[in-house]
Amino acid sequence: MVNRSTSGTSKKHKSHKVLKVLLLIFSLCLMSVGVYACKYYTEARTKINKTFRPNHDKNADIRIKKKQNLSVLILGIDTGEEGRIDRGNSDTMIVATVNPDDKKMQLVSIPRDTAAQICGNKEFKMTKINAAYNIGGAPMAKRTVSELLNVPINYYITLDMKGLEKVVNAVGGIDVDVPFTFTSEATGGQTFNKGMRHLDGGMALAYSRMRHEDPDGDYGRQKRQQQVIKAIIQRAISFNGIQHFSGLLDSISSSMATDISFDNMVGLFNNYRSAADNMSSDSLKGQNAWVQTPDYDFPLSFQIVSNTELQRVSDKLRTGLGLEKTPINNAETKENALNPNFKFDVTYDQNYVIQPLDQ
């Protein structure tokens, strides 16, 4: 009896030793992974902080912490030189609203040639809306878009077009449904066949840039840009861990500027990602017009947006943010009132004169 008892105790002691060794090995593995992830996370934070431009609206950061509705202005800057995101016009302008409770996100494109008052300028200036970024940077672009559509803009993200290529490659490419077959002559002669296609960064950049071969012109390009952005978001939220998301941010840090801090980006990734499952698209639609402005001796091509269309888009964005609909009353609506003979219901160009308004 004594021998059996001693043998059983010995086996239990050995099994405990084996268990302790396994637990030690497992703990060391977890520590190694943790150290690696922490290192990756810290490096990404350091690089992203270089792109950060402080947001003076303290309420904006509170919105993310409280998981409230928010809006972001996405600016695509085609400077032609990687890393230069402080000059040039914003050829892509998209307002994104995110509602985490309803789990909805909407993207609304603004044509770059839309006539608008440039807000924050010392003197009254009404010109193409994409000039706001060139004149006063992203803060002026935010303020101008906010005034045009009567919606608060909480944050901005600017990305040079080479940065878009990096983003797509960082998420492993994207899948888009090409609406028709075309060859993009102005971007390098790439051919895109109709149907679902997997695009790498270079092809996605050409796909989003093409305009002349599209029967809908710049509006067709806006739709394809939104396709690309949606696909990027859906790929990014599929990442399983924060280290993958940090890696994505790390890869594009040299091509981006934003007033969203790294911690708030992580908060968006963790708490708002479900809204990406339900994304809708729209565009502010105007009419072609040759506009005579005080700045030039010759007319320029503009997009003139009717008061009805401005109100429609404003109502949609405000609803997405959980705000009440309110009538728009700004420089654009006043200019429309000064041009009663302009026909918004026809397709041909009509002269439209922008005049300085009494402020």
Side-chain angles (χ1 to χ4, degrees):
M1 294 294 293
V2 174
N3 291 336
R4 288 180 181 178
S5 176
T6 303
S7 176
T9 301
S10 177
K11 288 180 179 179
K12 286 181 180 180
H13 183 67
K14 288 181 179 179
S15 65
H16 282 311
K17 287 183 91 174
V18 171
L19 181 61
K20 286 181 179 180
V21 171
L22 290 175
L23 287 173
L24 178 60
I25 293 173
F26 182 66
S27 298
L28 289 174
C29 288
L30 286 178
M31 287 176 62
S32 299
V33 171
V35 169
Y36 173 77
C38 182
K39 179 176 181 293
Y40 209 120
Y41 186 94
T42 302
E43 289 177 352
R45 176 197 288 272
T46 300
K47 290 190 176 182
I48 289 299
N49 281 343
K50 294 179 181 179
T51 74
F52 177 59
R53 311 292 188 265
N55 188 334
H56 299 295
D57 180 7
K58 295 181 180 179
N59 292 326
D61 291 345
I62 295 175
R63 300 191 74 82
I64 293 181
K65 292 177 181 178
K66 293 186 175 181
K67 302 179 185 178
Q68 296 175 338
N69 305 335
L70 56 85
S71 61
V72 181
L73 178 62
I74 302 170
L75 301 167
I77 314 302
D78 197 356
T79 62
E81 182 178 337
E82 184 177 353
R84 276 187 54 213
I85 51 178
D86 57 345
R87 294 291 186 273
N89 293 332
S90 51
D91 286 339
T92 298
M93 304 185 76
I94 298 175
V95 178
T97 64
V98 188
N99 189 318
D101 291 333
D102 291 344
K103 298 181 180 179
K104 291 181 179 179
M105 178 185 296
Q106 58 182 350
L107 305 175
V108 176
S109 293
I110 302 173
R112 60 182 183 176
D113 292 341
T114 299
Q117 179 189 1
I118 306 302
C119 297
N121 207 46
K122 291 182 179 180
E123 298 179 357
F124 176 83
K125 186 176 182 63
M126 197 161 184
T127 185
K128 297 182 180 185
I129 195 169
N130 68 343
Y133 179 82
N134 200 8
I135 296 171
M140 184 173 284
K142 278 176 64 176
R143 185 173 171 184
T144 297
V145 170
S146 178
E147 178 66 20
L148 176 69
L149 299 176
N150 191 29
V151 293
I153 304 295
N154 304 124
Y155 293 101
Y156 73 83
I157 297 174
T158 65
L159 192 68
D160 72 55
M161 297 308 287
K162 287 296 291 182
L164 177 66
E165 184 175 348
K166 286 182 179 181
V167 173
V168 173
N169 286 332
V171 299
I174 57 174
D175 298 314
V176 299
D177 189 2
V178 179
F180 55 88
T181 299
F182 66 90
T183 298
S184 183
E185 297 292 350
T187 62
Q190 303 91 337
T191 296
F192 298 83
N193 295 313
K194 181 179 179 179
M196 290 300 301
R197 295 289 178 264
H198 184 78
L199 306 180
D200 63 11
M203 290 294 281
L205 178 59
Y207 181 73
S208 63
R209 270 179 164 171
M210 186 277 281
R211 176 166 60 100
H212 298 293
E213 292 84 3
D214 197 310
D216 290 332
D218 198 45
Y219 290 107
R221 177 170 63 171
Q222 290 169 30
K223 292 178 182 178
R224 282 179 281 104
Q225 288 172 346
Q226 290 188 0
Q227 273 187 299
V228 170
I229 290 174
K230 284 182 179 180
I232 290 172
I233 292 173
Q234 289 168 344
R235 288 284 294 174
I237 65 173
S238 68
F239 290 165
N240 294 324
I242 191 64
Q243 67 267 32
H244 294 99
F245 180 66
S246 299
L248 168 62
L249 297 178
D250 185 9
S251 68
I252 64 172
S253 60
S254 63
S255 305
M256 182 178 72
T258 181
D259 56 356
I260 307 175
S261 68
F262 180 79
D263 288 339
N264 278 335
M265 285 187 185
V266 174
L268 286 171
F269 177 73
N270 288 331
N271 302 323
Y272 289 74
R273 57 196 297 179
S274 60
D277 294 331
N278 187 6
M279 286 190 285
S280 63
S281 301
D282 202 348
S283 294
L284 182 70
K285 295 179 176 63
Q287 181 182 322
N288 294 330
W290 290 101
V291 175
Q292 184 65 59
T293 70
D295 296 335
Y296 296 92
D297 295 330
F298 51 89
L300 302 176
S301 176
F302 274 73
Q303 286 286 301
I304 305 299
V305 184
S306 70
N307 293 353
T308 301
E309 175 67 359
L310 285 170
Q311 192 65 57
R312 180 190 73 83
V313 171
S314 175
D315 290 347
K316 185 171 187 176
L317 289 172
R318 291 182 69 86
T319 299
L321 292 171
L323 302 174
E324 292 184 1
K325 301 175 184 178
T326 58
I328 288 186
N329 181 22
N330 56 25
E332 180 73 3
T333 60
K334 293 175 183 177
E335 286 289 350
N336 288 339
L338 291 173
N339 288 268
N341 295 324
F342 186 78
K343 306 297 183 181
F344 283 102
D345 58 349
V346 295
T347 57
Y348 58 83
D349 292 348
Q350 182 101 1
N351 191 45
Y352 186 102
V353 180
I354 288 182
Q355 304 175 26
L357 302 174
D358 293 332
Q359 299 298 295

